[in-house]
Every structure is written in structure tokens, then in C-alpha cells.
Amino acid sequence: LRVPQRFIVIREILKPDRPDPATNLKGFDYIDVPGLSEREYKLQFEAYKEGNVHSKITFKNEQSGEFQFYFVTYKVSAAGVIDTIKLTAPVRQSVSYTIPLFNPLSVSVTLNTQLHNSTEISLLPTFTVPANSEGLFSFEYMPLKAGRSEAKIVFNSIDLGQYIYEVCSFSFIFISLIFNGNKSPKSKLACVHKRGHTLTTI
């Protein structure tokens, strides 16, 4: 038309049918379009877990009653590995590490933890993060033999989906050498690799 028009924007999520706090579809409630021209409307979509989201966006002129609508489908894939944690510790000595986990929802969220490819990491089976806050999840790594290893820590939540952290660890044998006479005591680190070769510089 030659005259400017104002459209109210109605945003609807069709599937999943029940409201999901982990999925948000945001945008301006109105858009003004000058006569004989067009305007772009920007949608902001947020999702914290994988799946398919089907939505309907309707633009309606409240004065004339005319409207048009669009179907928009979002396919949300898994986030993959969020971060790689690097740990180093002497054999039979433990080190701890803390992972910050943020909960953007208005309700508390419980995460179930899974550990893959390691028997040297100790962690809690579940962890609860309060609403709209950050929780600090701590675990311990205590190697029983020298070498390098890789593991994964996976957090699963019905509300927030899956969080994956990769753990790359290196363990070594600590050797303390004490010399008599005029030489002062020294201590050296000996890194024993999986093949069994040891190189120590005095």
C-alpha cells in the first residue's frame, strides 16, 4: 500500500506443544512498514538443549484486520565439547578442579554426571544449580600410574540438555634424591611415560 502500516507481531511455538523454559523466541512486538516498501524483522532464538522447534510468526494490521504468517523451524544440535581441562599430578597424589556451571532458568536444575574412560577421577553423581545462578562443581584426580590419559565428564539435564567436558591428564613419578658430602640436596622430577623409559637429569 501507499500508506505506512503498523503490524503487531504474534510469536508462537507450535512444537514442542508444552511450554519449555529452555527455549525462547524473542523479537519486537510491533513493526512499522513505510508505504510501498518492505522491512526486515529479526527473531532472536535461544535453546539450551537439542531438538526441533516449530514456530509460527504472524504479522497483523490491527486496523484493517489483514495479516500474513510464516512457519519457522529451528533444528538445535548438540553443543559438543565445551572445554578441555588439563590436569597434572604426581602418582598417588590428588589434585582438584572446579567447573563453573550456569543455570539461566528461573527454577533450580539438577544435573546427572557421567564419567567416561577413567577410573582415576572422583566426582559426585548429581549436582544441583539454583535458579538464575552459577554453581561450582568440583572433582578430584588421583592417578595410580604414570602416563597420559583422556576422559570425558558429561552433565545431563532434562531442562538444560547436555554439557561435555574433556579431561586431558598427565601423571608422573616424583623422585627425591639426597646427596651426602659437599653437594646440597636436590630434588628432580622424573617423567615416566607409558613405554617405561625414564630420563632424569641431575
Side-chain angles (χ1 to χ4, degrees):
L1 299 180
R2 296 181 179 274
V3 296
Q5 295 189 79
R6 163 166 281 204
F7 296 91
I8 185 175
V9 184
I10 304 170
R11 299 177 300 275
E12 302 173 86
I13 293 181
L14 305 179
K15 289 184 180 181
D17 359 15
R18 296 181 180 179
D20 189 347
T23 303
N24 293 311
L25 190 60
K26 300 178 181 179
F28 291 113
D29 294 330
Y30 288 90
I31 183 172
D32 294 306
V33 182
L36 298 176
S37 64
E38 61 182 26
R39 291 280 303 274
E40 287 186 350
Y41 181 81
K42 293 184 178 181
L43 280 170
Q44 181 181 350
F45 176 75
E46 296 176 344
Y48 298 104
K49 59 183 180 181
E50 59 183 307
N52 295 327
V53 177
H54 302 272
S55 65
K56 179 182 178 182
I57 314 300
T58 304
F59 300 91
K60 183 177 180 180
N61 186 322
E62 294 182 296
Q63 293 183 346
S64 65
E66 296 178 324
F67 65 91
Q68 58 180 346
F69 59 86
Y70 299 87
F71 291 109
V72 182
T73 300
Y74 297 93
K75 184 177 182 180
V76 185
S77 58
V81 176
I82 297 176
D83 194 12
T84 299
I85 301 168
K86 297 181 179 180
L87 300 175
T88 302
V91 170
R92 294 185 177 86
Q93 295 187 34
S94 64
V95 295
S96 61
Y97 190 89
T98 300
I99 302 175
L101 298 170
F102 181 69
N103 176 16
L105 305 183
S106 57
V107 295
S108 62
V109 170
T110 298
L111 302 167
N112 297 316
T113 61
Q114 292 180 335
L115 177 62
H116 299 273
N117 302 327
S118 178
T119 58
E120 300 173 330
I121 294 176
S122 301
L123 44 77
L124 295 173
T126 60
F127 182 68
T128 300
V129 184
N132 297 312
S133 63
E134 183 180 73
L136 299 177
F137 180 85
S138 298
F139 66 92
E140 287 193 351
Y141 164 64
M142 189 177 73
L144 300 178
K145 59 182 180 179
R148 300 179 183 272
S149 61
E150 293 183 359
K152 284 185 180 180
I153 298 176
V154 181
F155 299 92
N156 291 295
S157 167
I158 298 177
D159 300 310
L160 293 178
Q162 192 175 76
Y163 296 80
I164 302 176
Y165 289 83
E166 189 176 59
V167 181
C168 295
S169 55
F170 173 69
S171 57
F172 56 89
I173 298 176
F174 184 83
I175 301 177
S176 179
L177 300 177
I178 300 178
F179 297 89
N180 296 323
N182 296 328
K183 292 186 177 181
S184 59
K186 295 181 180 180
S187 62
K188 294 292 181 178
L189 292 182
C191 297
V192 182
H193 298 283
K194 288 184 178 180
R195 293 186 178 179
H197 300 289
T198 305
L199 176 63
T200 303
T201 304
I202 306 299

